[in-house]
Amino acid sequence: MRLVNRWQYVAHKFDEDFLIYVRFTIVNSTQNKQNKIAIQAQFISLFLGGVDSLLLLMKKSFLELGLKIKDCIEISWIEFVTYFDRSPIRKSQGSVNKTSQHRVLAFKAKLDYVKKANIEKFVTNNIGKVIRRRWSGIDPVVSLGGKMSKILESEILFVHRAGCLYKILYYAQWEGEEKDAAAAAERHINWTRSVYNYMSPYVSKNPRASYLNYRDLDLGKNNEKGHTSYT
């Protein structure tokens, strides 16, 4: 938790070629014999440069993380895209399989922006109740800042610039071919709504902000009496 707390104060100030985000997952606790779970924070980064330059940057910006050369992998941009999607890295020309078969998964996601450093509060306040299943949770927590903070809100549509520290994604995935698809969808969507409500004290307010792709009816309706749309 100490490293996560430090991350939220420095990540948005990093070099423009460097991105580091946090992924929270559930693991079995090793501190007791009662098979209890623990929340693990994994730091994943992308640096547009070589390993030597990255190590120098980390010593200056985030020494506490203790990054070593053995923790780094030099890969191409497209290989990182597949890695970000949790696919194995294949160091070959055929690393991207365009015909690979995937399970049919449905999902629901919501997104928040954070303007005040308070990640230690929602992580310690029973976050295990939030991340309680393999295919659901808070993932990832991505820092902002950098080049984005130098672009005025009026220049392009993405207005979440200076003043936003990081964004948080809440998601749920389930088998899209479940027998009772409607009941499954309702159960998982209700879960994302409960997480969204739980996080209210820790995120942007008045208005509560979200990226356009994650806009849904929970953020407001444009016609209370008749047909309602997302716009």
Side-chain angles (χ1 to χ4, degrees), residues 7-8 12 111-120 122 138 141-145 160-170 199-205 208-210:
W7 168 88
Q8 70 175 339
H12 64 287
L111 184 138
D112 265 320
Y113 287 93
V114 176
K115 296 185 176 182
K116 182 179 179 181
N118 58 16
I119 199 170
E120 71 281 2
F122 73 75
I138 297 178
V141 182
V142 181
S143 62
L144 297 174
H160 311 292
R161 300 294 180 182
C164 288
L165 301 180
Y166 50 90
K167 59 184 179 181
I168 307 175
L169 176 69
Y170 323 118
M199 293 297 294
S200 297
Y202 312 109
V203 297
S204 60
K205 302 177 179 64
R208 186 170 184 174
S210 183

Side-chain angles (χ1 to χ4, degrees), residues 150-185:
K150 299 180 180 180
I151 302 175
L152 297 178
E153 293 184 1
S154 58
E155 289 191 24
I156 58 177
L157 291 177
F158 186 80
V159 299
H160 311 292
R161 300 294 180 182
C164 288
L165 301 180
Y166 50 90
K167 59 184 179 181
I168 307 175
L169 176 69
Y170 323 118
Y171 75 95
Q173 286 183 329
W174 63 95
E175 296 288 348
E177 297 178 340
E178 291 187 21
K179 292 182 179 180
D180 194 346

Side-chain angles (χ1 to χ4, degrees), residues 3-16 18-22 43 61-62 141-146 164-166:
L3 291 175
V4 175
N5 188 47
R6 173 62 176 163
W7 168 88
Q8 70 175 339
Y9 288 100
V10 299
H12 64 287
K13 302 176 183 178
F14 285 155
D15 186 276
E16 293 178 2
F18 183 51
L19 168 70
I20 183 168
Y21 64 91
V22 183
F43 293 88
S61 304
F62 199 5
V141 182
V142 181
S143 62
L144 297 174
C164 288
L165 301 180
Y166 50 90

